[in-house]
Amino acid sequence: MPQSVRGVVALKKGEPVSVETILVPDPGPGEAVVQVQACGVCHTDLHYREGGINDEFPFLLGHEAAGIVESVGDGVTDVAPGDFVILNWRAVDGTCRACRRGEPWYCFSTHNAAQKMTLESGQELSPALGIGAFVEKTLVHSGQCTKVNPAVKPEVAGLLGCGVMAGIGAAINTGGIGRGQSIAVIGCGGVGDAAIAGAFLAGASTIIAIDMDDRKLEWAKGFGATHTINAREQDVVEGVQALTDGNGADVVVDAVGRPETFKQAFYARDLAGTAVLVGVPTPDMTLELPLIDVFGRGGATKSSWYGDCLPSRDFPMLVDLHLQGRLPLEKFVSETIALDGVEAAFEKMHKGDVLRSVVVF
């Protein structure tokens, strides 16, 4: 029988979210019901509310979550009731062309639950990123559940489900930052600071944080930034070059996702360096670059999907690093809130007052 739980829903484009009664079906084959313990408020959820992803309203928001597996459907062997898991939105299928060529982090046929959660009226909900975790219990595909060490706090672990993993992966997996190299990160919100933390983990020697807010630049130092640039006061490209012997950085991560910031990333990298786009642009944005510069500067320009992560590999490793005291995930949690505080958290996020608000159940 379906369970009745409370969850945060975006009913119409641009309207404030509301807490509604959600019906969660029993798990079918390959599915799991997870009791959500914590879920971060990510900018992607706001994109959904504003219609920036698609128009498949109503949306059950939330996706950056951790919790306990309550029940599983037929054929599920990778997780069991009682397991502590981080939810992921790229559950690889193992058989698509990317998986077959040994690159499962690019999986083109990821799994989601087959059944739909609904409102009391029976209207089907579109779960954000195939998860929908601003809810007391959610239905997902079992492959979206990644077991990790239960010693980690849920409000910390859940952040690896999206923003923190995206940033760390952009620096390490996509950008390939290594020991002794230089990196610049444009935009020091949660994703940008995670890229800085990832670069610090990887042993980068010069880590340049770039933002227009001195408060955010100060936060970035806590994650390992060695230098800061206020983009309101200094030309970004010139500033990065000045800190890298006039060459530019080996890797530049654009965690904002706008044409102007990506151009800064492109020109602030060294010859044969790498520019990584991890900030999410809107569909109307376009980019124009002189083709001779694309050719002449060499190197690579890359987009980073979910930090090019493999959840089964990366989530447990990063949790262990956190528990060892080597990855300060707790610094990303600006506040913990109740389920009815999501709309206010969107406003704080928009103003740049928080790195992450986290709903705790």
Side-chain angles (χ1 to χ4, degrees):
M1 293 292 291
Q3 300 185 64
S4 296
V5 297
R6 297 187 313 136
V8 174
V9 175
L11 294 170
K12 294 182 179 180
K13 180 178 178 178
E15 292 189 359
V17 299
S18 57
V19 178
E20 306 286 343
T21 297
I22 311 299
L23 300 183
V24 182
D26 292 335
E31 296 175 341
V33 170
V34 176
Q35 180 183 349
V36 180
Q37 293 182 312
C39 184
V41 181
C42 177
H43 204 279
T44 302
D45 294 304
L46 184 57
H47 275 319
Y48 272 105
R49 193 200 74 175
E50 297 301 303
I53 305 294
N54 58 55
D55 61 356
E56 296 172 6
F57 290 87
F59 292 109
L60 175 59
L61 300 181
H63 58 280
E64 198 175 70
I68 302 292
V69 176
E70 180 182 87
S71 58
V72 299
D74 292 342
V76 175
T77 59
D78 46 350
V79 291
D83 285 344
F84 178 70
V85 298
I86 298 173
L87 299 182
N88 74 79
W89 47 268
R90 289 190 64 79
V92 302
D93 77 332
T95 61
C96 76
R97 62 191 186 280
C99 291
R100 291 198 306 271
R101 69 183 181 224
E103 297 175 326
W105 48 89
Y106 293 138
C107 180
F108 302 130
S109 185
T110 55
H111 291 305
N112 290 311
Q115 300 182 87
K116 290 289 188 179
M117 292 175 279
T118 69
L119 296 171
E120 281 188 297
S121 65
Q123 185 175 13
E124 292 186 348
L125 292 163
S126 300
L129 290 176
I131 293 177
F134 286 148
V135 64
E136 292 163 332
K137 297 179 183 181
T138 190
L139 176 76
V140 294
H141 190 279
S142 64
Q144 293 178 284
C145 301
T146 304
K147 290 174 58 175
V148 297
N149 191 330
V152 65
K153 293 181 178 179
E155 61 267 31
V156 166
L159 301 184
L160 290 173
C162 187
V164 171
M165 185 68 256
I168 291 175
I172 295 178
N173 296 336
T174 313
I177 189 68
R179 294 187 301 273
Q181 290 189 309
S182 59
I183 186 172
V185 178
I186 303 173
C188 296
V191 173
D193 280 347
I196 289 168
F200 183 80
L201 268 177
S205 58
T206 301
I207 304 174
I208 305 166
I210 304 164
D211 205 285
M212 297 189 293
D213 186 335
D214 284 331
R215 176 182 46 176
K216 289 186 176 182
L217 292 173
E218 195 61 33
W219 293 346
K221 293 178 183 178
F223 293 100
T226 58
H227 303 81
T228 62
I229 295 173
N230 187 316
R232 291 187 187 276
E233 302 171 357
Q234 186 178 7
D235 181 272
V236 168
V237 176
E238 292 178 358
V240 173
Q241 290 173 340
L243 293 169
T244 53
D245 299 322
N247 299 318
D250 295 305
V251 178
V252 184
V253 173
D254 176 9
V256 178
R258 295 187 58 84
E260 55 267 37
T261 52
F262 189 76
K263 282 186 179 181
Q264 290 171 338
F266 179 82
Y267 287 108
R269 67 193 175 113
D270 195 359
L271 292 176
T274 301
V276 177
L277 176 65
V278 66
V280 181
T282 56
D284 60 303
M285 293 179 180
T286 60
L287 177 69
E288 183 175 342
L289 285 170
L291 193 56
I292 187 62
D293 288 353
V294 176
F295 173 79
R297 297 185 65 82
T301 58
K302 298 182 176 181
S303 58
S304 185
W305 298 347
Y306 206 1
D308 290 339
C309 80
L310 186 60
S312 60
R313 174 195 66 192
D314 294 337
F315 288 5
M317 173 192 67
L318 293 173
V319 165
D320 287 345
L321 287 173
H322 168 68
L323 292 173
Q324 294 166 17
R326 298 166 64 189
L327 180 60
L329 294 176
E330 74 284 349
K331 292 183 179 180
F332 288 96
V333 182
S334 302
E335 62 173 0
T336 55
I337 61 174
L339 194 60
D340 60 4
V342 170
E343 185 65 34
F346 281 151
E347 183 63 24
K348 292 178 183 178
M349 180 175 61
H350 182 69
K351 291 180 178 178
D353 292 337
V354 294
L355 282 178
R356 271 297 186 270
S357 302
V358 181
V359 175
V360 175
F361 294 87

